[in-house]
Amino acid sequence: MRKLPESVAGLGPLRKHEATGRTSGTSKLLSGIDAAISACGLKNGDTISFHHHLRNGDAVLNTVVAALARRGLKDLHLAVSSIFPVHAPLVDHIRNGTVTRISASFIAGPVGEAVSRGALHQPVILRSHGGRARALDTGDLPVDVAFVAASAADELGNLSGRIGHSPFGTMGYPLADVESARHVVAVTDSVVPYPAVPIDIPQHKVDFVAPVDSIGDAAGIASGTTRPAADSVSLGIAERTAAVIAASGLLVEGFSFQTGAGGISLATAAAVGQEMTQRGISGSFASGGITGFHVEMLRAGLFRNLMDVQCFDLDAVRSYQSDPRHQSMSAAAYAGPHVGGAVVDRLSAVVLGAAEVDLDFNVNVTTRADGLIIGGAGGHSDTAQGARLTLITTRLTAAGHAKIVPEVGTLTTPGETVDAVITEAGIAVNPLREDLRDRLETAGLPVLSIQDMQARASEAASHPPARRSTGRVVAVSEYRDGSVTDVIRQVEED
Amino acid sequence: MRKLPESVAGLGPLRKHEATGRTSGTSKLLSGIDAAISACGLKNGDTISFHHHLRNGDAVLNTVVAALARRGLKDLHLAVSSIFPVHAPLVDHIRNGTVTRISASFIAGPVGEAVSRGALHQPVILRSHGGRARALDTGDLPVDVAFVAASAADELGNLSGRIGHSPFGTMGYPLADVESARHVVAVTDSVVPYPAVPIDIPQHKVDFVAPVDSIGDAAGIASGTTRPAADSVSLGIAERTAAVIAASGLLVEGFSFQTGAGGISLATAAAVGQEMTQRGISGSFASGGITGFHVEMLRAGLFRNLMDVQCFDLDAVRSYQSDPRHQSMSAAAYAGPHVGGAVVDRLSAVVLGAAEVDLDFNVNVTTRADGLIIGGAGGHSDTAQGARLTLITTRLTAAGHAKIVPEVGTLTTPGETVDAVITEAGIAVNPLREDLRDRLETAGLPVLSIQDMQARASEAASHPPARRSTGRVVAVSEYRDGSVTDVIRQVEED
């Protein structure tokens, strides 16, 4: 051993090196989920997180929660980015006490109904995508174990969403989870030879790799919300929305754009693209959940880049696999309100859907007319606050219910961040945006007051206005900054 | 305002949402370095970090430290990944008290000499690349402001090393700094339209963007250490080294490989490639600082991937710009001893240089025979510990000094992590690796004892063995885990 002084002036006592051996051939590969649960020391009451990049094709959440239930774990807090109909088995795990708390950005399907009916004693916390990233980063949402579905992983935990049996594309949501989770477990059905290039989450962020038979069905990615509208009413709204953007003064070189995944929003993307082509405009980026429509716009030269937090369909996955202009982004970069400027803050325009809009331009994308939870903010309130122009598109009615209402059932996105609402009845401009109303009127577009629009919706509705529940609070809707925009109350069985 | 309950059972008091306005058009772009210094509130005694991806072409460290000196800041701690001859102006800033502490992984040129001569009162801490990443992550090296040179940045702080005026490639070292630094300032001479795709460091990791006239000269990337050997003695050692790898049993399908940036190491890469071709072997990855040699091996199909912490020349930069098989990695993923398995831990073989090797196989890459600091561990001790086969290549003498010595002047890499030393005199195998010695002898390779090798070096040397300094400690050499392998003492003027 080398002779060293006991201490050094300016540094104090020295910790002398002692032989430590070699570190060759380390591996994080375990036998499966059970081994990972043991390795993390998961216990009753812990918080576990999941992402929803496999959307309605995801098998990982169900597989892991079933394993936790088999081990008799109780009182777990499920911190998931989104819950889909495929996660219906979770209802049983709520009933048997395995899961007693849920945080999510979006809940659709049987779990949403079960929560609305009061299955959980603890209120669900619904956060926007950016709000969830903020909560993870600030410690408001401490995660014990993040289970990260990966379409491929190597033995040291490099994760890819681009290779393996079921590639699903970018990994924007878990990129936020792995930054703060106490343990990170990769779950994959494709353990590939080291290194799993192209890497979406690097090995130093991952503690264990748990192989499973199947992470799910990548075909399930293109689920419900991502079909473009085809009916004439929706297409009319989409064309009108494109006309609003055209008249707004924002459709110039460098234009940036996001649409929600709703049918009208996607149809609007096509119409905006046509207008850009006519004007010879080249945009900077399209962002969000990315679809084949956005990929076509990229390829047509309408945008320089796609900023992709999640691939919404397999065309988007294929583009991300092969096109370096198709850029991944984390949920924090996408929409975090705490990062000094997120991608959403650079949007020229965003086109979003709505379950309901009210006279204050508040938007509900969380509950249905009957009060049941059918979604959540996702990126809705994030993009609405960040974009220069926030447009809400919707039909006047759905299933006989008015969608323009005196007061929304749940306030998801504050009206102060909404510039206009576009329906088949015309365009209602937020009084905060007189400049926009003037532009639209000059362009000859059909502007009407939100009051008139609400009256038209009320006339067109076949159902009377819904009575709001007065039951106990089963969920709260958090804004990006963690403040509460609304509470959601229990709905009794019909 | 929405009427909400004051509190909710299970959640407690509600923080109700209040109008917060829009966040459109946020920017992190400041007027320059001075504005960034002010924005970060930098004060006397703070720690500032820099990376060395522009190597001997870097202008950012000098520009920023000059700005700090002009503002009269004192007693700063410079936590830089490496210091090159181009950073000579730093010597003045040490003398004038602007910088009073230095941490680095490698120090070459006038700053190394000044430190050796006692310019700093506080001992320098020399850490390996992996050790530096560990120290950043664990809080042993808290950084107040990380100044991150970027070849391009956008207004929200997305950074790229692949576009702009002086692309320098991957950004492996600052990827570690931005994870923990209190403030992150991007320094660029190319502010590009949003978004700066392809992104190497994403916007949510960056606080401010400071434009400068020039970040330096990317041509300086291919500086001193990256020239391949051309003389016959060095080429002979390289061929012998390749023969050792060939005989080791490790040169099989999936072989992974790293070479240092020294001349013999690079020549070895070519010889190993030829052997792989002859055997029809396809390797998994080559890692480290990446050169054009490695790129050629990738293109020839010898490796599936390059794992690149830093581009060592412009051929590597061009490859990283265009080839998705050329994967970036952070210093933590590359060599962190704290990440449960780093890239170095998956290496089949590493070929490294040496200033001195001793009878215990300890290696010195920190000081010259006269005791002056001329380098530091860099990735030397990291890869030596991680690789299955660690080979040290060196000539017997340099500038008349023996390089195989009874005891190294500075112990940088412990001998227990070194498997063999290869010189023009033959191959000395570590007694810990009898299995390797047997294989080499079976292959007819010229094996000799390290004692014999040292005697041969001593005979070939024209200078007598150096007398070690007994002056005060001016630096310590830390191992990956933070323990101290050696101290470096002050050298008096000749």
Side-chain angles (χ1 to χ4, degrees):
Chain A
M1 267 297 138
R2 192 101 179 157
K3 208 177 146 198
L4 297 184
E6 292 299 317
S7 72
V8 166
L11 293 179
L14 287 193
R15 177 161 70 91
K16 297 181 194 180
H17 176 66
E18 293 176 11
T20 49
R22 309 291 280 269
T23 51
S24 317
T26 322
S27 175
K28 300 173 180 173
L29 185 62
L30 303 178
S31 58
I33 296 292
D34 270 296
I37 294 168
S38 298
C40 296
L42 244 175
K43 60 184 192 310
N44 293 345
D46 277 357
T47 297
I48 55 175
S49 83
F50 296 87
H51 69 71
H52 70 291
H53 286 264
L54 278 152
R55 300 176 67 79
N56 208 36
D58 174 54
V60 169
L61 190 155
N62 291 341
T63 300
V64 171
V65 175
L68 294 164
R70 275 197 305 275
R71 291 168 71 107
L73 282 156
K74 296 290 177 191
D75 198 24
L76 297 170
H77 173 200
L78 193 71
V80 60
S81 50
S82 297
I83 293 175
F84 283 86
V86 73
H87 300 123
L90 192 54
V91 174
D92 286 338
H93 295 300
I94 291 171
R95 299 231 161 92
N96 67 29
T98 305
V99 171
T100 55
R101 283 193 297 157
I102 293 178
S103 306
S105 298
F106 185 93
I107 304 180
V111 175
E113 175 159 357
V115 169
S116 293
R117 302 285 187 210
L120 288 167
H121 295 291
Q122 289 273 332
V124 165
I125 299 181
L126 291 166
R127 293 184 175 93
S128 73
H129 288 320
R132 183 174 185 275
R134 177 199 52 74
L136 288 166
D137 282 350
T138 60
D140 284 357
L141 178 57
V143 171
D144 294 296
V145 183
F147 290 95
V148 179
S151 66
D154 62 41
E155 285 185 15
L156 282 188
N158 288 303
L159 311 188
S160 182
R162 285 174 271 188
I163 57 176
H165 295 130
S166 302
F168 53 77
T170 65
M171 298 181 74
Y173 295 112
L175 271 168
D177 295 52
V178 302
E179 294 286 320
S180 64
R182 210 153 54 80
H183 301 285
V184 175
V185 175
V187 181
T188 190
D189 53 12
S190 302
V191 177
V192 298
Y194 188 90
V197 172
I199 295 168
D200 286 296
I201 293 180
Q203 63 189 62
H204 63 295
K205 305 283 186 184
V206 176
D207 298 308
F208 303 109
V209 176
V212 291
D213 288 341
S214 171
I215 60 166
D217 174 14
I221 290 175
S223 58
T225 54
T226 60
R227 286 194 298 263
D231 65 287
S232 64
V233 174
S234 297
L235 287 174
I237 294 171
E239 277 169 28
R240 188 170 282 164
T241 305
V244 171
I245 292 170
S248 71
L250 294 165
L251 194 60
V252 294
E253 195 69 18
F255 177 71
S256 55
F257 188 42
Q258 179 162 337
T259 65
I264 297 174
S265 293
L266 291 179
T268 304
V272 169
Q274 285 179 354
E275 182 65 25
M276 291 174 75
T277 303
Q278 281 182 7
R279 293 190 181 193
I281 284 168
S282 172
S284 53
F285 70 91
S287 61
I290 294 295
T291 70
F293 287 93
H294 301 99
V295 171
E296 284 172 27
M297 294 176 93
L298 175 75
R299 290 188 184 148
L302 294 173
F303 293 101
R304 269 192 293 114
N305 296 110
L306 300 178
M307 299 296 281
D308 187 347
V309 70
Q310 173 179 57
C311 294
F312 270 161
D313 59 32
L314 296 178
D315 284 340
V317 174
R318 282 185 282 269
S319 167
Y320 178 55
Q321 286 170 327
S322 61
D323 193 332
R325 299 172 299 177
H326 190 147
Q327 172 75 48
S328 166
M329 63 177 171
S330 77
Y334 165 43
H338 62 304
V339 300
V343 171
V344 296
D345 297 316
R346 298 296 292 196
L347 280 170
S348 303
V350 65
V351 176
L352 297 164
E356 294 175 330
V357 187
D358 72 17
L359 298 176
D360 290 328
F361 291 81
N362 296 319
V363 181
N364 169 19
V365 288
T366 305
T367 50
R368 214 161 56 177
D370 60 5
L372 290 183
I373 293 170
I374 48 137
H380 200 283
S381 52
D382 298 315
T383 49
Q385 189 179 30
R388 290 199 187 278
L389 180 68
T390 299
L391 302 177
I392 306 296
T393 59
T394 179
R395 287 166 163 245
L396 288 174
T397 63
H401 291 281
K403 298 188 71 175
I404 316 299
V405 294
E407 190 179 12
V408 286
T410 302
L411 196 169
T412 316
T413 296
E416 63 157 336
T417 63
V418 170
D419 298 303
V421 181
I422 299 150
T423 66
E424 64 268 39
I427 305 159
V429 181
N430 191 323
L432 294 170
R433 290 300 307 276
E434 279 187 25
D435 60 317
L436 178 64
R437 193 195 57 211
D438 292 348
R439 281 178 176 273
L440 302 189
E441 285 176 345
T442 302
L445 290 170
V447 174
L448 76 170
S449 73
I450 189 76
Q451 288 77 14
D452 286 350
M453 187 181 274
Q454 186 261 313
R456 295 278 300 273
S458 181
E459 285 160 22
S462 52
H463 290 292
R467 283 207 315 269
R468 301 301 172 192
S469 166
T470 55
R472 75 175 174 90
V473 173
V474 295
V476 300
S477 181
E478 273 194 12
Y479 197 54
R480 308 177 72 196
D481 60 5
S483 64
V484 173
T485 57
D486 212 344
V487 298
I488 295 103
R489 293 181 183 275
Q490 185 170 348
V491 176
E492 300 304 325
E493 299 282 345
D494 299 324
Chain B
M1 267 295 138
R2 192 100 178 157
K3 209 178 145 197
L4 297 183
E6 292 299 319
S7 73
V8 166
L11 293 179
L14 287 192
R15 178 161 70 90
K16 297 181 194 182
H17 176 66
E18 292 175 12
T20 49
R22 308 291 280 268
T23 51
S24 317
T26 322
S27 175
K28 299 173 180 174
L29 185 63
L30 303 177
S31 57
I33 296 292
D34 270 296
I37 295 168
S38 299
C40 296
L42 243 176
K43 61 186 192 308
N44 292 346
D46 277 356
T47 297
I48 55 176
S49 83
F50 296 87
H51 69 72
H52 69 292
H53 286 264
L54 278 153
R55 300 176 67 79
N56 207 36
D58 173 54
V60 169
L61 190 155
N62 291 340
T63 300
V64 171
V65 175
L68 294 164
R70 276 196 306 274
R71 291 167 71 107
L73 281 156
K74 296 289 177 193
D75 197 25
L76 297 171
H77 173 201
L78 194 69
V80 60
S81 50
S82 297
I83 294 174
F84 283 87
V86 73
H87 300 124
L90 193 53
V91 175
D92 286 337
H93 295 299
I94 291 171
R95 300 232 159 91
N96 67 28
T98 305
V99 171
T100 56
R101 282 193 297 157
I102 293 179
S103 306
S105 298
F106 184 93
I107 305 181
V111 175
E113 176 159 356
V115 169
S116 293
R117 301 286 186 210
L120 287 167
H121 294 290
Q122 288 273 329
V124 165
I125 299 181
L126 291 166
R127 293 186 175 92
S128 73
H129 289 320
R132 182 174 186 275
R134 177 199 52 73
L136 287 166
D137 282 349
T138 59
D140 283 357
L141 178 57
V143 171
D144 294 296
V145 183
F147 290 95
V148 179
S151 66
D154 63 41
E155 284 185 14
L156 282 188
N158 288 302
L159 311 186
S160 183
R162 284 175 271 189
I163 57 175
H165 295 131
S166 301
F168 53 76
T170 65
M171 297 181 75
Y173 295 112
L175 271 168
D177 295 51
V178 303
E179 293 286 321
S180 63
R182 210 153 53 81
H183 301 283
V184 175
V185 175
V187 182
T188 190
D189 53 12
S190 302
V191 176
V192 298
Y194 187 91
V197 173
I199 294 168
D200 287 296
I201 293 180
Q203 63 189 63
H204 62 295
K205 305 284 187 184
V206 176
D207 298 308
F208 304 108
V209 176
V212 292
D213 288 342
S214 171
I215 60 167
D217 175 12
I221 290 175
S223 58
T225 55
T226 61
R227 285 193 298 263
D231 66 287
S232 64
V233 173
S234 297
L235 287 174
I237 295 170
E239 277 169 28
R240 188 169 283 166
T241 306
V244 171
I245 292 170
S248 72
L250 293 166
L251 195 60
V252 295
E253 194 70 17
F255 177 70
S256 54
F257 188 43
Q258 179 163 336
T259 65
I264 297 175
S265 292
L266 291 180
T268 304
V272 170
Q274 285 179 354
E275 182 66 24
M276 291 174 75
T277 303
Q278 280 182 7
R279 293 190 181 194
I281 285 168
S282 173
S284 54
F285 69 92
S287 62
I290 294 295
T291 71
F293 287 94
H294 301 98
V295 171
E296 284 171 28
M297 293 177 93
L298 175 74
R299 290 187 184 149
L302 294 172
F303 293 102
R304 270 192 292 114
N305 295 111
L306 300 177
M307 299 297 282
D308 186 347
V309 69
Q310 172 180 57
C311 294
F312 269 162
D313 60 31
L314 296 178
D315 284 341
V317 173
R318 281 184 283 269
S319 168
Y320 178 55
Q321 286 170 327
S322 61
D323 193 332
R325 298 172 300 178
H326 190 147
Q327 172 75 49
S328 166
M329 63 178 171
S330 78
Y334 165 42
H338 63 304
V339 300
V343 171
V344 296
D345 297 316
R346 299 295 292 196
L347 280 170
S348 303
V350 65
V351 177
L352 298 164
E356 293 175 331
V357 187
D358 72 17
L359 298 177
D360 291 328
F361 291 82
N362 296 319
V363 181
N364 169 20
V365 288
T366 305
T367 51
R368 215 162 56 178
D370 60 7
L372 291 183
I373 293 170
I374 49 137
H380 200 284
S381 51
D382 298 314
T383 50
Q385 189 178 31
R388 289 200 187 277
L389 181 67
T390 298
L391 302 177
I392 306 296
T393 59
T394 179
R395 287 164 161 247
L396 287 172
T397 63
H401 291 280
K403 298 188 71 175
I404 316 299
V405 295
E407 190 179 14
V408 286
T410 302
L411 196 168
T412 316
T413 296
E416 63 157 335
T417 64
V418 171
D419 298 303
V421 181
I422 300 151
T423 68
E424 65 269 39
I427 305 158
V429 180
N430 192 323
L432 294 171
R433 292 297 308 274
E434 281 187 22
D435 60 316
L436 179 64
R437 193 195 58 212
D438 292 348
R439 282 179 174 272
L440 302 190
E441 285 175 346
T442 302
L445 291 170
V447 174
L448 76 169
S449 72
I450 189 75
Q451 289 76 13
D452 287 350
M453 187 180 273
Q454 186 260 312
R456 294 277 301 274
S458 181
E459 285 160 22
S462 53
H463 291 292
R467 282 207 314 270
R468 302 301 172 191
S469 166
T470 55
R472 75 173 173 91
V473 173
V474 296
V476 300
S477 180
E478 272 194 12
Y479 196 53
R480 308 177 73 197
D481 60 5
S483 64
V484 173
T485 57
D486 213 343
V487 299
I488 295 103
R489 293 181 182 276
Q490 185 170 348
V491 177
E492 300 304 327
E493 300 281 348
D494 299 322

